[in-house]
C-alpha cells in the first residue's frame, strides 16, 4: 500500500497541512472523484523515480516510500480509525523507558517481567543440555555469547521474582493448564512395562532393573507402556482427539542417570494451512536417528522422516543430571527460521508446508509424549523427577492462575533457567576472570577481533547476573566469580597474556574507557560502556557480610572512573538528529582501513546511484549512527543514570535525555 504526504504545490511550508479524514475515500488526501490527479516524477536530491502526484494543480502528494527511504521514518495505516501513524521506529514505546528503575537485586534496568529474550533474531536456539541461549550473530553454526546469556538470565530472574508474588485466583480454570506425564504413565499399561514410581519422593525409574507388572486400568486415555524389543523400552502417552492441548507449550523435565541412547520425544502437529507433523527429540547422544538431515551443528539437527514433516533433535550428551526447560513453540519457531536461512531450493521445497507462515509456531499442539530407553542388562536405571507440560504464565494471564501446581511449575522453570545461566558463568570463566567469545568479529579486513576476545559489556552484564544469583541463593561462589570478572577492567586492550577491556578515550590517560569490542584502534561503543558500568555499580552495592571488603571497593573505584569519563565525553555522541552508536569515525584509522582502496566517488560523475558500491563503502566508513532501537537503549540508560546509578550528575543526564527523546519524536537540533 502506498501512502501520501500532502504538501501545497510548490509552496514552502514548515509543517504538513492538516487534512480531514474521509474513511470512504480511496483518493489521496481526501480528494473527490471529480478532482484531477496528475502523476509526477519525484526528483529528490537529483534522483528521479515515480511516486508523486498533483491534485487539482494545487497540492502534491508524495508516496510514503520516498519519505521512508530518505528520512528513515516508519508508517502504518489504522484503517478502522482513519489514521495514518507516522513515527520513528520505537517512538510509541518511549514513555515505557521511565516506568521502572534499576535495582541491583531486582529488575535489571527496570525491564519488564515478561520479556522473551529467546525470540530475538540473533538467538539460534536454547541449548537443551545447558539451558542457555546460543547465538548466531557472527557465526551461523552457533556459539555461547555472554551478553545474550546474561540477558536471558535477567529475564528469568525478573520472572521468578514476579511469580513469587502471584496469588492464586479462586475462579475455576477454563482450560487445561498442566499435564503431569509421570502420573499418566504410572496408571496404565501392559504387564511388561519397565517403569516404577516411589511415593516418598515422587521419583520414577525406568530401565531393565525396575520391571514392574502394572494392572490394566479403565482409563479412557490412550495410554501405552510396552517394550519395543529386547534391547529397548518405550513408554508413550497419547492425547485423545477430544483433549485440547492448545497453549500447553512449556516443557519441564528433570532427572538423573539417563542411559546413553535415551530419548524423550514430543509428538505434535500444526494444522495451518494443512496438518504438518512435528517431532522434537531430546537425545542422550549426538545421533539424529532415522531420517534425513538438512541442518546440523553441535546443538541440534533438523530434518525429516517418511512419517514426520519436521524432525528436531537436540543433543544432550551428558545425561547424568538432566534439566530440560524448553518452550516448544519457540523451538518450532527457531527451527523454521534455521530452515528458511538455507539457500537450497530443494530444502525450501521439501519444507514448503512448514515455511508457509512466520507465525505457524503459535498453532503448535502436542499429540503424544514418548520416552525411549535402552534396557540391556548392563544399563543402569534412569530417574525422572519432573515431566510436565504446562501453559506459561505471562502478563496477560497472571491474574487467572488458579492451580498451585501450575504456579509452582512456572516458578521452577524460571528458577532452573536462572540457575543454569548463573552456573554457566561460574563454570566457563577463564582464569583471567574473562568470559571469552569463540566467534571472530570483523570491522574491516585489517581490524577484527580474533576468537577468544572478551567484552566489557559481557563482563558487566555477567557481573550483574551473578550479583542477582548471589542475592537469591546466598552462595558465595557467585560473588567470587563476579569479583574475578573485575580483572579484565584493569588490563589494557589486547594484553599479551590475558584478556583486557581497558582503553583510554582517544589516548587520554585521564579518560579510561571499557570497550565492548576491544579493537585497536578503539571503537568506543556507548551502550556497551554504560552496561559495563551497570555491572560495576551492582557489585559495588552488595552487602558482603564476612566476604572480602575489597570486592566492593574495587568495583566502586572502577565505576567512578567510568562515570568521570562518561560525563566528559557524552556530548560527542549527540548527532543533532539522534545519537551515535560509537565514535569509531573519530579515529581516522577506521575510515582509512574501510575505504583506502575506494576510488573517488564523484570524479567524472554528476551523481552516484543509491546502490553504488563506492557510495555505500564511503558512507559505511563514516559516523555510525545509532538506529532507533539503540537510541531507545541510550534513553533508557540516561534515565537509569539519573535515577539510580549516578544521580549526582542528574542535570547532565536529564538534558541529554530530553533532547534525545525529542529526536526520537521527529525533532532536530537547531542550525545556524
Amino acid at each position: 500500500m502506498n501512502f501520501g504526504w500532502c504538501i501545497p504545490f510548490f509552496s514552502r511550508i514548515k509543517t504538513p497541512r492538516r487534512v480531514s479524514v474521509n474513511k470512504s475515500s480511496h483518493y489521496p488526501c481526501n480528494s473527490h472523484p471529480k478532482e484531477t490527479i496528475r502523476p509526477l516524477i519525484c526528483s529528490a536530491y537529483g534522483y528521479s523515480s515515480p511516486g508523486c502526484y498533483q491534485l487539482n494543480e494545487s497540492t502534491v502528494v508524495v508516496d510514503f516510500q520516498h519519505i521512508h527511504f530518505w528520512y528513515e521514518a516508519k508508517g502504518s495505516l489504522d484503517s478502522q480509525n482513519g489514521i495514518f501513524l507516522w513515527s520513528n521506529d520505537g517512538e510509541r514505546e518511549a514513555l515505557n523507558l521511565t516506568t521502572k528503575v534499576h535495582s541491583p537485586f531486582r529488575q535489571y534496568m527496570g525491564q519488564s517481567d515478561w520479556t522473551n529474550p529467546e525470540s530475538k533474531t540473533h538467538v539460534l536456539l536454547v541449548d537443551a543440555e545447558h539451558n542457555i541461549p546460543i547465538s548466531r550473530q557472527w557465526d551461523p553454526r552457533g556459539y555461547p555469547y555472554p551478553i545474550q546469556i546474561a540477558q536471558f538470565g535477567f529475564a528469568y530472574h525478573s520472572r521468578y521474582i514476579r511469580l513469587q508474588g502471584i496469588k492464586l485466583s479462586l475462579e475455576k480454570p477454563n482450560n487445561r493448564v498442566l499435564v503431569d506425564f509421570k502420573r499418566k504413565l504410572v496408571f496404565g499399561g501392559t504387564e511388561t512395562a519397565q517403569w516404577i514410581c516411589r511415593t516418598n519422593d515422587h521419583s520414577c525409574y525406568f530401565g531393565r532393573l525396575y520391571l514392574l507388572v502394572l494392572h490394566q486400568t479403565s482409563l479412557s486415555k490412550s495410554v501405552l507402556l510396552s517394550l519395543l524389543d529386547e534391547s529397548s523400552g518405550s513408554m508413550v502417552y497419547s492425547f485423545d482427539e477430544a483433549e485440547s492441548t492448545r497453549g500447553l507449550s512449556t516443557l519441564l523435565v528433570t532427572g538423573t542417570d539417563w542411559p546413553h541412547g535415551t530419548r524423550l520425544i514430543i509428538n505434535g502437529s500444526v494444522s495451518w494451512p494443512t496438518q504438518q507433523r512435528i517431532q522434537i527429540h531430546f537425545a542422550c547422544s549426538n545421533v539424529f536417528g532415522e531420517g534425513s538431515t538438512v541442518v546440523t551443528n553441535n546443538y541440534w539437527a533438523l530434518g525429516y522422516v517418511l512419517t514426520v514433516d519436521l524432525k528436531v533433535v537436540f543433543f544432550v550428551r551428558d545425561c547424568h543430571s538432566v534439566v530440560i526447560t524448553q518452550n516448544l513453540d519457540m523451538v518450532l519457531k527457531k527451527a523454521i527460521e534455521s530452515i528458511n536461512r538455507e539457500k537450497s531450493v530443494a530444502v525450501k521445497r521439501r519444507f514448503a508446508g512448514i515455511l508457509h507462515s512466520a507465525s505457524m509456531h503459535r498453532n503448535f499442539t502436542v499429540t503424544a509424549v514418548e520416552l525411549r530407553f535402552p534396557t540391556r542388562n548392563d544399563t543402569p536405571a534412569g530417574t525422572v523427577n519432573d515431566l510436565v507440560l504446562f501453559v506459561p504464565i505471562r502478563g496477560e494471564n497472571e491474574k487467572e492462575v488458579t492451580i498451585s501446581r501450575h504456579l509452582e511449575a512456572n516458578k521452577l522453570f524460571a528458577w532452573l533457567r536462572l540457575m543454569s545461566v548463573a552456573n554457566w558463568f561460574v563454570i566457563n570463566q577463564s582464569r583471567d576472570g574473562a568470559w571469552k567469545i569463540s566467534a571472530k568479529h570483523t570491522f574491516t579486513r585489517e581490524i577484527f577481533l580474533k576468537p577468544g576476545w572478551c567484552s566489557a559489556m559481557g563482563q558487566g552484564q555477567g557481573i550483574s547476573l551473578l550479583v542477582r544469583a548471589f542475592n537469591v541463593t546466598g552462595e558465595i561462589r557467585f560473588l567470587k566469580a563476579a569479583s574475578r570478572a573485575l580483572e579484565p577492567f584493569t588490563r589494557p586492550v589486547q594484553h599479551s597474556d590475558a584478556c583486557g577491556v581497558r582503553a583510554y578515550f582517544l589516548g587520554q590517560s585521564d579518560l579510561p574507557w571499557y570497550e565492548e569490542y576491544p579493537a585497536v584502534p578503539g571503537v568506543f561503543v556507548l551502550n556497551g560502556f554504560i552496561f559495563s558500568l551497570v555491572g560495576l555499580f551492582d557489585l559495588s552495592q552488595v552487602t558482603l557480610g564476612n566476604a572480602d571488603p575489597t570486592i566492593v571497593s574495587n568495583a566502586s573505584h572502577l565505576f567512578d572512573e567510568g562515570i568521570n569519563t562518561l560525563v566528559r565525553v557524552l556530548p560527542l555522541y549527540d548527532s543533532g538528529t539522534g545519537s551515535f552508536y560509537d565514535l569509531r569515525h573519530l579515529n581516522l584509522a577506521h575510515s582509512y582501513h574501510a575505504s583506502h582502496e575506494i576510488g573517488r566517488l564523484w570524479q567524472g560523475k554528476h551523481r552516484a546511484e543509491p546502490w553504488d558500491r563506492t557510495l555505500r563503502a564511503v558512507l559505511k566508513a563514516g559516523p555510525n549512527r545509532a538506529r532507533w532501537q539503540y537510541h531507545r537503549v541510550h534513553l533508557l540508560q540516561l534515565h537509569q543514570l539519573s535515577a539510580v546509578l549516578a544521580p549526582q550528575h542528574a542535570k547532565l543526564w536529564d538534558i541529554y535525555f530530553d533532547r534525545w527523546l525529542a529526536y526520537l519524536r521527529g525533532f532536530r537540533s537547531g542550525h545556524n
Side-chain angles (χ1 to χ4, degrees):
M1 179 177 291
N2 296 332
F3 304 114
W5 183 31
C6 297
I7 309 174
F9 183 51
F10 290 147
S11 66
R12 299 184 64 182
I13 59 174
K14 295 182 179 179
T15 58
R17 69 178 175 89
R18 187 182 300 274
V19 295
S20 59
V21 176
N22 182 353
K23 297 181 182 179
S24 63
S25 174
H26 297 283
Y27 292 85
C29 298
N30 203 32
S31 62
H32 295 286
K34 295 182 179 180
E35 294 179 337
T36 60
I37 302 177
R38 177 190 174 196
L40 301 174
I41 295 296
C42 294
S43 180
Y45 308 105
Y47 296 92
S48 300
S49 63
C52 291
Y53 305 90
Q54 182 181 0
L55 304 182
N56 296 330
E57 300 183 356
S58 62
T59 301
V60 169
V61 178
V62 180
D63 190 327
F64 192 79
Q65 292 183 26
H66 293 290
I67 309 299
H68 171 69
F69 178 82
W70 289 107
Y71 300 103
E72 300 178 346
K74 295 293 181 73
S76 61
L77 181 63
D78 181 353
S79 300
Q80 183 176 359
N81 296 308
I83 299 174
F84 179 65
L85 304 171
W86 175 354
S87 69
N88 290 321
D89 190 27
E91 188 273 330
R92 282 181 291 170
E93 294 81 26
L95 291 179
N96 295 333
L97 296 168
T98 60
T99 55
K100 295 181 180 179
V101 296
H102 174 80
S103 168
F105 313 117
R106 296 187 70 83
Q107 280 87 358
Y108 181 83
M109 298 297 282
Q111 70 176 10
S112 168
D113 299 318
W114 308 112
T115 56
N116 186 17
E118 64 189 288
S119 66
K120 293 182 178 180
T121 303
H122 288 319
V123 174
L124 177 65
L125 53 88
V126 174
D127 179 21
E129 184 168 2
H130 301 104
N131 297 289
I132 60 167
I134 298 300
S135 178
R136 66 172 192 88
Q137 188 164 355
W138 297 306
D139 186 342
R141 297 169 298 180
Y143 61 96
Y145 188 32
I147 291 174
Q148 288 182 358
I149 295 171
Q151 292 171 356
F152 186 78
F154 295 147
Y156 284 96
H157 173 260
S158 294
R159 190 169 302 186
Y160 177 74
I161 292 175
R162 183 62 173 266
L163 290 168
Q164 291 282 78
I166 289 181
K167 296 182 179 179
L168 296 178
S169 170
L170 298 178
E171 298 181 5
K172 293 184 178 180
N174 296 324
N175 301 302
R176 195 176 202 174
V177 294
L178 181 141
V179 178
D180 188 336
F181 289 102
K182 285 196 311 178
R183 297 182 179 182
K184 299 295 181 182
L185 293 172
V186 77
F187 285 123
T190 66
E191 295 183 354
T192 56
Q194 299 180 345
W195 178 257
I196 184 172
C197 293
R198 299 193 311 188
T199 57
N200 58 340
D201 62 359
H202 304 289
S203 296
C204 296
Y205 300 84
F206 61 89
R208 181 169 293 278
L209 298 181
Y210 288 89
L211 292 176
L212 177 69
V213 177
L214 297 176
H215 298 288
Q216 296 287 350
T217 69
S218 58
L219 289 177
S220 61
K221 314 298 183 185
S222 173
V223 182
L224 172 64
L225 288 80
S226 64
L227 291 177
L228 293 178
D229 51 47
E230 293 183 356
S231 62
S232 63
S234 174
M235 298 172 298
V236 180
Y237 175 81
S238 298
F239 289 97
D240 288 342
E241 292 185 4
E243 291 183 285
S244 173
T245 62
R246 180 64 59 85
L248 294 170
S249 59
T250 301
L251 178 69
L252 170 60
V253 183
T254 64
T256 56
D257 298 325
W258 287 20
H260 181 78
T262 299
R263 284 182 181 237
L264 177 66
I265 304 172
I266 310 298
N267 290 280
S269 65
V270 178
S271 300
W272 188 87
T274 59
Q275 188 175 56
Q276 303 291 318
R277 296 156 297 180
I278 314 293
Q279 270 192 355
I280 302 174
H281 294 226
F282 300 94
C284 294
S285 68
N286 58 354
V287 177
F288 180 76
E290 179 187 4
S292 302
T293 61
V294 296
V295 175
T296 304
N297 55 41
N298 290 331
Y299 308 98
W300 70 358
L302 310 177
Y304 58 91
V305 295
L306 184 62
T307 58
V308 177
D309 298 294
L310 173 61
K311 179 179 176 180
V312 180
V313 180
F314 284 94
F315 302 135
V316 187
R317 294 172 177 83
D318 184 359
C319 284
H320 291 298
S321 178
V322 176
V323 176
I324 298 173
T325 59
Q326 291 286 337
N327 291 307
L328 300 180
D329 55 343
M330 293 305 304
V331 171
L332 180 56
K333 180 178 187 293
K334 294 300 178 179
I336 292 172
E337 290 175 351
S338 292
I339 294 172
N340 253 326
R341 288 190 290 268
E342 292 295 304
K343 297 180 180 180
S344 169
V345 176
V347 170
K348 297 288 182 67
R349 188 181 300 116
R350 177 64 182 78
F351 291 96
I354 297 292
L355 304 178
H356 186 83
S357 171
S359 60
M360 176 179 286
H361 63 281
R362 298 173 184 169
N363 300 313
F364 178 72
T365 57
V366 176
T367 57
V369 173
E370 178 181 4
L371 182 65
R372 294 181 188 174
F373 49 89
T375 57
R376 299 182 303 273
N377 288 330
D378 60 344
T379 302
T383 304
V384 175
N385 298 322
D386 297 283
L387 179 51
V388 294
L389 186 69
F390 57 91
V391 175
I393 297 174
R394 299 190 176 99
E396 65 271 14
N397 66 350
E398 64 173 305
K399 295 182 180 179
E400 302 171 3
V401 181
T402 60
I403 301 174
S404 60
R405 182 74 177 94
H406 179 217
L407 178 58
E408 292 305 315
N410 275 271
K411 287 181 184 178
L412 181 58
F413 185 90
W415 174 260
L416 290 173
R417 282 198 158 181
L418 170 61
M419 287 297 101
S420 294
V421 167
N423 287 326
W424 184 91
F425 276 105
V426 173
I427 295 170
N428 291 276
Q429 189 175 39
S430 301
R431 290 184 178 181
D432 59 7
W435 293 292
K436 296 183 178 179
I437 299 159
S438 61
K440 178 182 178 181
H441 182 38
T442 301
F443 296 96
T444 70
R445 282 182 297 178
E446 294 83 5
I447 303 174
F448 56 87
L449 299 173
K450 297 179 181 179
W453 58 281
C454 61
S455 165
M457 180 173 171
Q459 295 297 120
Q461 293 198 324
I463 290 171
S464 290
L465 191 282
L466 290 169
V467 166
R468 285 158 176 76
F470 169 70
N471 184 61
V472 297
T473 66
E475 295 184 29
I476 198 68
R477 63 191 180 100
F478 295 130
L479 189 60
K480 289 181 177 179
S483 176
R484 289 193 297 270
L486 296 177
E487 296 176 19
F489 288 92
T490 66
R491 287 192 293 264
V493 167
Q494 293 194 346
H495 189 279
S496 58
D497 299 322
C499 204
V501 299
R502 188 182 185 91
Y504 292 94
F505 192 83
L506 298 181
Q508 303 299 305
S509 60
D510 59 338
L511 297 177
W513 184 273
Y514 311 131
E515 285 279 23
E516 178 179 354
Y517 303 113
V520 176
V523 182
F524 309 117
V525 177
L526 179 59
N527 85 88
F529 177 65
I530 297 176
F531 278 131
S532 73
L533 296 182
V534 175
L536 298 173
F537 173 83
D538 287 350
L539 186 53
S540 73
Q541 302 301 303
V542 170
T543 302
L544 294 177
N546 296 325
D548 185 354
T550 59
I551 295 176
V552 167
S553 61
N554 290 341
S556 297
H557 175 70
L558 292 168
F559 174 76
D560 291 340
E561 282 189 312
I563 288 294
N564 178 63
T565 298
L566 184 61
V567 166
R568 296 168 65 181
V569 306
L570 181 63
L572 297 176
Y573 287 87
D574 192 322
S575 72
T577 59
S579 55
F580 289 120
Y581 178 80
D582 58 44
L583 294 181
R584 71 184 74 178
H585 63 282
L586 296 183
N587 194 315
L588 295 180
H590 277 283
S591 297
Y592 176 76
H593 285 305
S595 58
H596 69 282
E597 295 182 356
I598 300 174
R600 291 299 305 279
L601 179 62
W602 309 107
Q603 195 167 3
K605 301 179 182 178
H606 293 293
R607 61 185 175 87
E609 298 298 336
W611 54 85
D612 186 282
R613 292 180 62 184
T614 302
L615 173 61
R616 292 191 174 191
V618 168
L619 294 176
K620 186 176 181 180
N624 190 20
R625 296 176 297 118
R627 64 178 183 265
W628 292 118
Q629 174 189 350
Y630 278 98
H631 187 74
R632 288 188 74 252
V633 172
H634 292 162
L635 287 169
L636 169 65
Q637 292 176 326
L638 288 172
H639 169 66
Q640 301 297 348
L641 282 164
S642 177
V644 179
L645 303 176
Q648 68 273 26
H649 301 293
K651 185 175 181 179
L652 175 68
W653 314 134
D654 292 345
I655 287 173
Y656 280 89
F657 180 92
D658 292 344
R659 186 186 303 155
W660 289 7
L661 181 58
Y663 296 159
L664 184 65
R665 291 178 170 170
F667 297 94
R668 302 181 182 184
S669 63
H671 57 73
N672 60 6

